[in-house]
Amino acid sequence: MPEKSRGAALTIFAVLFAVLAISNFLKPFHLDPGAGFVFLGTRLSGVPNIIVAPIFGIILAVYAYGIFAMRKFALPIGIFYAAYVIINMPLFILRYHGSAVMQEHSWAYLIPYPFVAIGVSSGAAVLLYHRKADLA
C-alpha cells in the first residue's frame, strides 16, 4: 500500500513541534533567565522545571515524529496537547495578570501568542483527525 503524503501543513506542524521539543529540553539549562516550563498556568523553576520540561520535550518529540511519519499514535497525543494548551493558556494569564512576569513581554507578543499557540496545537490535531484514515 503506497504511503500518503502528509502535506505541507502537517510537515510544518511536525517541524514546529520538534523545535518546541528542543526548547523544552533546554528550559532546565536556564539559557534565558525568564524561561521556565509553564505547567497548568504556573511557570516552573528548580527541580519541577528540571523534571517536567524534559517530559513534555519527549512528548512533543514523539508527537513530531508521529506527525512526520503519519502514525496513528500522533492523533491522541495531538488531542491531549491541544487540550493542554487550551487549559494552560488562560490559567497562565489569570495567574500572572498584572505581574512582573507579564511585563517581561511586550503586548505585541502577549496578544497574538495565545491565538498562535492554540491555533497551532488545535490545528495540527484537527488536521490529523481529518487525515486519520491515512495514519499507519
Side-chain angles (χ1 to χ4, degrees), residues 16-105:
L16 291 174
F17 288 120
V19 169
L20 190 54
I22 293 167
S23 170
N24 287 337
F25 286 125
L26 294 175
K27 287 193 190 290
F29 297 105
H30 303 290
L31 302 176
D32 174 2
F37 188 80
V38 177
F39 183 70
L40 297 177
T42 302
R43 184 189 285 175
L44 302 178
S45 62
V47 174
N49 189 48
I50 291 169
I51 295 169
V52 176
I55 290 171
F56 271 79
I58 291 167
I59 291 168
L60 289 173
V62 170
Y63 184 36
Y65 167 77
I67 294 171
F68 190 77
M70 294 293 287
R71 301 297 305 263
K72 287 182 194 254
F73 66 80
L75 181 56
I77 295 173
I79 292 168
F80 160 79
Y81 189 68
Y84 168 76
V85 170
I86 290 168
I87 292 166
N88 198 38
M89 193 66 54
L91 289 175
F92 178 81
I93 292 168
L94 288 170
R95 177 170 177 84
Y96 294 106
H97 178 65
S99 73
V101 171
M102 294 298 272
Q103 294 170 2
E104 293 173 4
H105 304 288

